[in-house]
Amino acid sequence: MSSPFEFSPVKLVYGGEALGFHAGHTVLAPRVLPGERVEVEEVRRQKGVVFARPLRILQPSAERIEPACPYFGRCGGCQYQHLPHAAQVAAKSEILRETLRRLGPVKWEQPIPTHSGPAWNYRNQAQLKIGKPPDGAPGLGFYEAESNRLIDIDACPILSPRLNELLAVLRAEPWISELANGREVELVVDDRDEKIMMTLAGSWDAEEAETLAQKCLTELAGVATVAFTQDVGVRVFGESYLSYRVGDFAYRIGPTAFFQSARFLLPEFVEAVTAEVSGAVAIDLYAGVGLFTLPLSNKFEQVMAVEVHPQSTANLAANARAVPGRKIRAIAGTTFDYLRRSAQMDPDLVVMDPPRTGVGVDTLKLLLALRPKRLHYVSCNPSTLARDLAYLLQQGYSLDSLELFDFFPQTFHVESLARLSRIGRERA
Ligand SMILES: C[S@@+](CC[C@H](N)C(=O)[O-])C[C@H]1O[C@@H](n2cnc3c(N)ncnc32)[C@H](O)[C@@H]1O
């Protein structure tokens, strides 16, 4: 199929592509919509699936809209700007349901309530690449999809206004030359879209790093922390952490620590994960800097929070210390090791919010030996959620609700919350 061919996608699938069939093959193509007739060409073939690139839209869907960003289609960041926001949300809901059914199999026929916010300017973080775009001058921006070719961008419509202001300053002289020794600059802005933490990766020696850091701290409005990541550890100048408020709590976030990047939905998200639960013991696995841990401490006599990343662990411990009553135990290490060492304790609630790889059956086996009454599973990957839910349902848990958090409009990412409870726990 090296020459162009026509096909008509039937549905959107996880990852941003649309799926259809041609000449006995499954075809996946980006930036096309179900019901359209499109001309595509094959890019590669893997396990019989043809990955194709759209050449022309022969018959557009009635839903198709003009993408708002001039870099859409080249930049690897967004996949859905050609689809109205409401249709993106509906598609993600169906993708979640269908992925659970196909890969679990987990059948969920009830509604999937959706939490949605503004579709633009929603990110509080940006990982900007520094480099030379094909025209040669140093640039700042994002990589093209599936490549490390830089696209020099002047603004990104999904970043917060403050981050776009700083991007505009950094990509112009004199800053772009100051950054030329770098590979990446990460920006994180606080909940008020004011203070910024800047983390640079690249090859500056100690003296150059210090000079550059002082210049950033004095001349870049809002920049309060500048960090350099090195092979061994992180060097920090200015304030040692960014303070980010969600609901009643202010969280310390240090350079390289994980924090959620969707600024508008965070209070609603934390509320949903920690609502309608209380009791003696809660465990927050994959706790990060304690986003759920602190509100859980209002509802449980004791909260155990487990996190492996050194910077996140340090912030988690400090955030926990700030809660009166010392109800929180911050545990540094992997979830697996923590569970392996833990004796049966009948926790009332376990929250788990793993990375894209999910929790995995080996870790779930150890978890179930503790006999948790309720599980709140936050997932950023429906495929690994399907595998883990299928196991939990076989092991005596019921799926009570499934919700979608529309954290990342314009992109294919799907964030969800599954609440489960142990069947027959009242008699246990
Ligand atoms: C998706 S984040 C969630 C963090 C936090 N719950 C939040 O919402 O801010 C996943 C976290 O799990 C941590 N992590 C990754 N693998 C882990 C493991 N095996 N054991 C414990 N924590 C892990 C990461 O460092 C990261 O902080």
Side-chain angles (χ1 to χ4, degrees):
M1 267 191 263
S2 54
S3 49
F5 62 94
E6 283 182 32
F7 97 116
S8 193
V10 293
K11 63 178 177 182
L12 293 170
V13 293
Y14 184 58
E17 284 112 341
L19 177 147
F21 303 96
H22 178 76
H25 288 278
T26 299
V27 180
L28 288 174
R31 300 183 301 283
V32 295
L33 295 174
E36 295 191 318
R37 202 159 55 81
V38 296
E39 185 183 55
V40 296
E41 71 178 352
E42 181 174 336
V43 182
R44 65 191 158 90
R45 203 177 281 211
Q46 219 176 325
K47 294 185 186 159
V49 176
V50 172
F51 292 82
R53 163 175 47 227
L55 298 174
R56 277 190 304 156
I57 309 297
L58 303 169
Q59 200 179 319
S61 155
E63 287 196 302
R64 177 173 281 277
I65 56 170
E66 200 51 42
C69 173
Y71 306 105
F72 182 67
R74 278 177 63 212
C75 174
C78 291
Q79 293 75 34
Y80 286 151
Q81 289 194 19
H82 57 310
L83 194 58
H85 183 211
Q88 293 177 23
V89 177
K92 286 183 189 186
S93 184
E94 278 322 296
I95 287 170
L96 176 60
R97 194 190 294 282
E98 151 78 5
T99 308
L100 294 185
R101 188 190 58 72
R102 194 167 46 83
L103 298 182
V106 172
K107 213 162 148 190
W108 181 256
E109 287 171 343
Q110 294 175 52
I112 302 178
T114 299
H115 304 259
S116 213
W120 302 102
N121 299 116
Y122 63 82
R123 282 190 66 92
N124 59 22
Q125 297 172 34
Q127 277 91 31
L128 299 164
K129 309 294 176 197
I130 305 165
K132 286 194 164 52
D135 69 8
L140 190 62
F142 298 115
Y143 286 151
E144 283 183 18
E146 293 180 34
S147 103
N148 54 5
R149 271 196 306 271
L150 182 80
I151 310 175
D152 186 23
I153 59 158
D154 52 15
C156 166
I158 62 173
L159 297 184
S160 82
R162 188 73 197 82
L163 292 181
N164 269 314
E165 280 166 24
L166 184 56
L167 167 60
V169 173
L170 293 179
R171 67 188 292 276
E173 292 297 353
W175 290 100
I176 193 65
S177 294
E178 295 279 359
L179 297 179
N181 280 351
R183 289 190 310 278
E184 185 178 288
V185 50
E186 184 188 66
L187 306 175
V188 185
V189 68
D190 67 5
D191 54 293
R192 299 157 63 107
D193 203 29
E194 284 175 5
K195 263 192 179 180
I196 291 176
M197 178 165 70
M198 204 170 156
T199 304
L200 293 147
S203 46
W204 289 275
D205 65 29
E207 211 176 307
E208 286 168 345
E210 181 152 7
T211 311
L212 178 56
Q214 294 310 340
K215 193 170 157 67
C216 293
L217 290 168
T218 48
E219 296 178 24
L220 291 173
V223 173
T225 304
V226 178
F228 290 83
T229 54
Q230 285 150 347
D231 296 342
V232 278
V234 179
R235 265 190 95 188
V236 188
F237 300 87
E239 295 174 13
S240 58
Y241 58 85
L242 189 75
S243 179
Y244 199 111
R245 180 162 281 281
V246 182
D248 294 337
F249 297 97
Y251 297 85
R252 292 178 180 209
I253 315 168
T256 76
F258 177 89
F259 200 71
Q260 300 289 349
S261 54
R263 47 199 286 258
F264 297 125
L265 289 179
L266 277 187
E268 202 172 322
F269 177 56
V270 172
E271 172 62 26
V273 174
T274 61
E276 291 166 33
V277 282
S278 60
V281 178
I283 306 178
D284 185 10
L285 300 172
Y286 311 92
V289 303
L291 183 64
F292 308 132
T293 314
L294 305 195
L296 286 172
S297 73
N298 279 342
K299 303 177 168 195
F300 290 84
E301 287 159 30
Q302 196 180 12
V303 183
M304 252 76 82
V306 184
E307 168 59 45
V308 74
H309 183 270
Q311 178 66 61
S312 298
T313 305
N315 294 142
L316 171 65
N319 290 328
R321 276 194 300 274
V323 173
R326 303 279 162 130
K327 290 164 138 192
I328 300 173
R329 250 187 74 206
I331 297 144
T334 66
T335 292
F336 186 84
D337 283 345
Y338 165 73
L339 293 172
R340 209 166 39 148
R341 289 193 312 265
S342 302
Q344 183 183 322
M345 60 171 108
D346 257 312
D348 299 286
L349 173 71
V350 173
V351 173
M352 39 194 165
D353 181 6
R356 296 182 57 73
T357 44
V359 179
V361 168
D362 289 348
T363 301
L364 289 175
K365 268 187 193 151
L366 294 176
L367 173 64
L368 295 195
L370 305 186
R371 298 180 48 78
K373 296 188 182 78
R374 285 163 178 256
L375 304 171
H376 287 184
Y377 191 136
V378 178
S379 160
C380 57
N381 182 348
S383 311
T384 53
L385 177 67
R387 175 201 64 204
D388 290 348
L389 281 186
Y391 180 76
L392 291 168
L393 299 187
Q394 280 163 17
Q395 298 300 314
Y397 283 79
S398 67
L399 180 55
D400 301 330
S401 69
L402 186 61
E403 292 173 41
L404 182 80
F405 286 84
D406 177 30
F407 265 7
F408 308 106
Q410 321 307 334
T411 80
F412 73 86
H413 294 288
V414 176
E415 186 87 12
S416 62
L417 166 65
R419 292 197 193 86
L420 299 98
S421 54
R422 201 170 74 209
I423 297 169
R425 67 188 164 87
E426 292 74 16
R427 292 190 303 275

